Amino acid sequence: MFILPEMVDIISDRAEKNAPSKNDVALYNTFRYKEIAEIYPILQQGDPSGIYRELASLIPKDGWQLFDTNDDLVHLSAGQILLNDPAATTFFAQNGDAVLKEYSGPWTIW
């Protein structure tokens, strides 16, 4: 799922104010990630009420953050999605002989 960074900020602020413990980072993140994860089923239904329109999407959006979980591991990207990166198309050139250390552009591992 892809989330507008400002939406992540709103959820993070809410978690900071409402998490059970202000000093427990694990509880803060659990509270925050739970709220973000609850968006996913709404998007799967097509966001019938439109509350997450332009805030969260199942389609990659340029400048948005990636949120991914399998209910065991959770990842919220610190960086942002960069679509149409011209350098990325040449990364696996030369039959895959290009190496990561030679790549200097932005990249994302899925």
Side-chain angles (χ1 to χ4, degrees), residues 19-90:
S21 172
K22 306 288 186 221
N23 299 319
D24 190 327
V25 174
L27 279 176
Y28 163 77
N29 281 328
T30 299
F31 190 90
R32 183 169 68 134
Y33 294 155
K34 180 181 179 293
E35 187 168 341
I36 295 171
E38 289 171 352
I39 298 170
Y40 183 72
I42 296 169
L43 294 179
Q44 282 184 306
Q45 297 169 11
D47 191 10
S49 63
I51 60 173
Y52 293 110
R53 188 174 296 124
E54 300 305 318
L55 299 173
S57 175
L58 297 179
I59 299 168
K61 303 281 186 175
D62 198 50
W64 288 24
Q65 290 177 247
L66 169 70
F67 176 81
D68 190 26
T69 181
N70 63 4
D71 293 329
D72 188 28
L73 299 172
V74 176
H75 174 252
L76 175 63
S77 66
Q80 297 178 350
I81 302 297
L82 177 64
L83 299 177
N84 303 319
D85 176 8
T89 59
T90 61

Side-chain angles (χ1 to χ4, degrees), residues 6-20:
E6 289 81 1
M7 181 66 176
V8 174
D9 292 343
I10 290 167
I11 292 171
S12 297
D13 288 345
R14 212 169 20 230
E16 192 173 311
K17 293 174 185 164
N18 299 314

